[in-house]
Amino acid sequence: MGLAHKASFILIACSMLITGCTLTQKKPVTEVKTENNQVASQGKPNPKPRPKSEPNYPPASTVIAWHAAQCGGYKASTSKLNFVGENELKSLFKSICLLSATEPEKALAQLEKSDHAYYWPDDIKQYLWLQKQHLQQSLAAKQAKQALSDEMEKTLSSLATIEQQLLLREETKEQ
């Protein structure tokens, strides 16, 4: 007999588990009247929160087209969509195009600032990283050119000094 009771208990427990029945009671939802005599439930939030939408970042091809258009020589198609950071990227690319040859340090600083301004998607981060690499190489080349120019100036100055000394020796020999 004990085995039959255990089997029936297990059968009832499994059926309750499968059907989702619970042994605890739920509290009934009470209604509350607000100032305007409207009925509101306490169990549900009012108003419903809106789901957050993903930010609309431009695709990498659009970012590259903006860069090419700002530097000239490329006509970018206009889009009716507004993207996150669009105006900032366009002004950044315009200033980079103007400053990269003359002041790469300033362009690099602006690029760093813009890179940290938004949570860019990976493809845009990679493009900005490539632009930083280009500017850093340009800066290194400018510094190497300046160092070479300084060295050449120093060498020319030494050669002029040696030439003067040789001319003075020839004059003293002739006398």
Side-chain angles (χ1 to χ4, degrees), residues 6-67:
K6 286 181 184 179
S8 63
F9 177 72
I10 291 174
L11 183 64
I12 292 171
C14 288
S15 66
M16 289 178 67
L17 187 64
I18 290 172
T19 59
C21 295
T22 59
L23 297 175
T24 60
Q25 289 184 335
K26 290 187 179 180
K27 293 181 181 178
V29 177
T30 58
E31 294 181 349
V32 177
K33 286 193 175 187
T34 59
E35 292 177 11
N36 299 340
N37 292 329
Q38 295 176 346
V39 176
S41 308
Q42 284 183 345
K44 298 178 185 175
N46 192 13
K48 292 183 180 178
R50 289 185 1 203
K52 289 186 177 182
S53 61
E54 288 291 319
N56 190 16
Y57 289 106
S61 59
T62 304
V63 172
I64 295 168
W66 290 342
H67 191 177

Side-chain angles (χ1 to χ4, degrees), residues 150-162:
D150 291 345
E151 188 67 32
M152 282 182 57
E153 188 68 35
K154 186 177 173 183
T155 304
L156 286 174
S157 175
S158 296
L159 286 175
T161 304
I162 292 170

Side-chain angles (χ1 to χ4, degrees), residues 130-143:
L130 284 173
Q131 294 305 310
K132 278 193 258 183
Q133 296 303 309
H134 172 72
L135 287 172
Q136 287 172 345
Q137 288 175 351
S138 175
L139 182 60
K142 183 180 177 183
Q143 291 170 344

Side-chain angles (χ1 to χ4, degrees), residues 92-105:
L92 170 72
F93 292 143
K94 190 172 192 173
S95 67
I96 284 176
C97 292
L98 295 174
L99 297 175
S100 65
T102 57
E103 299 179 62
E105 303 94 354

